[in-house]
Amino acid sequence: ETQLLEILAGRLAAELERSVLLREVSQTAEAKRHGEQIAQWHRDRNQLVPPLLDGWQVSGASQVDARVLGDFHFWRVTEDSQLFLATGGTQGTADCRILSSALLRGALQTQSLHNTDPGRALQQINEAVWSSSPGDEAANLFVARLNPSSGLLESASAGCPDAYILRPHGWEPIVQDGLGLGTQPEAVWARQTHTIAPGDILLVIS
């Protein structure tokens, strides 16, 4: 009887352990599926239709890599036919970066409708990010306004995005690393002005 009880107890323990393992595998698979769906949702938001600007070509690309998940680009043609463009990147775990980028992109889209001055837009976005975060996850953001007729580019940047004007005989960096977005509520970023001539290329990297 004692041996029978030990056999039954061992089988019961094995069945319980099997049940726990199956449940953990199921939960892990579901979590992975949800993570993949969120990541795909984010990548789909970066599939932007290029704006139509006479004499200009605009394009963007996103790397399919967990390390840059949460980075994004954005553009829209304003009512006065200027190009408002931006690229940004967030920090933290993959899920946190995606959520932070959604907040950042939403604030950016709102600003692009009402305020296309790059420096002012950056300040307004910073206030929105600061008020909705603990202030320990700085973001990178490059914001610019391009006049297609004159090639005049006005820009401002927070954090450490990269931006260059590639010219036929060289290249010119147009940003410097600075204070990250969302780290100080009253931060101010200087607006810079450059000219993009025919044959030049503006390259912005999050």
Side-chain angles (χ1 to χ4, degrees):
E1 292 179 354
T2 301
Q3 291 178 345
L4 180 59
L5 287 173
E6 289 177 349
I7 292 173
L8 290 174
R11 180 171 296 178
L12 179 60
E15 287 298 324
L16 287 173
E17 184 176 355
R18 178 176 176 273
S19 176
V20 170
L21 289 174
L22 287 174
R23 185 167 63 249
E24 289 180 351
V25 168
S26 176
Q27 291 174 345
T28 301
E30 184 177 4
K32 182 179 179 181
R33 185 169 60 254
H34 287 167
E36 291 173 348
Q37 290 174 346
I38 293 173
Q40 187 60 50
W41 177 88
H42 171 73
R43 285 191 288 267
D44 289 344
R45 296 306 179 277
N46 268 342
Q47 303 301 315
L48 303 178
V49 177
L52 298 177
L53 293 174
D54 289 341
W56 294 81
Q57 293 181 345
V58 182
S59 65
S62 297
Q63 185 177 0
V64 182
D65 190 323
R67 293 172 300 174
V68 294
L69 202 59
D71 289 19
F72 66 92
H73 56 275
F74 169 82
W75 53 57
R76 69 177 296 269
V77 178
T78 64
E79 293 182 355
D80 57 354
S81 299
Q82 298 199 39
L83 178 64
F84 183 91
L85 60 98
T87 186
T90 54
Q91 299 179 6
T93 64
D95 290 344
C96 288
R97 291 201 301 270
I98 291 175
L99 294 173
S100 296
S101 72
L103 168 68
L104 192 57
R105 191 199 305 257
L108 183 62
Q109 289 174 325
T110 300
Q111 283 300 311
S112 72
L113 293 173
H114 306 288
N115 180 24
T116 58
D117 177 86
R120 182 61 180 160
L122 208 56
Q123 288 178 251
Q124 295 291 333
I125 295 169
N126 179 67
E127 292 178 9
V129 173
W130 167 264
S131 63
S132 61
S133 73
D136 59 350
E137 296 181 355
N140 304 320
L141 186 63
F142 173 88
V143 181
R145 175 175 60 187
L146 172 69
N147 185 323
S149 300
S150 64
L152 178 66
L153 179 76
E154 300 170 279
S155 67
S157 63
C160 51
D162 287 324
Y164 307 89
I165 298 178
L166 310 181
R167 305 190 188 280
H169 304 292
W171 54 276
E172 175 186 358
I174 61 173
V175 298
Q176 295 180 347
D177 291 353
L179 189 65
L181 201 68
T183 57
Q184 292 186 15
E186 299 179 357
V188 177
W189 291 273
R191 184 179 63 178
Q192 301 188 63
T193 303
H194 298 84
T195 300
I196 302 178
D200 291 350
I201 297 173
L202 171 65
L203 174 65
V204 185
I205 307 170
S206 66

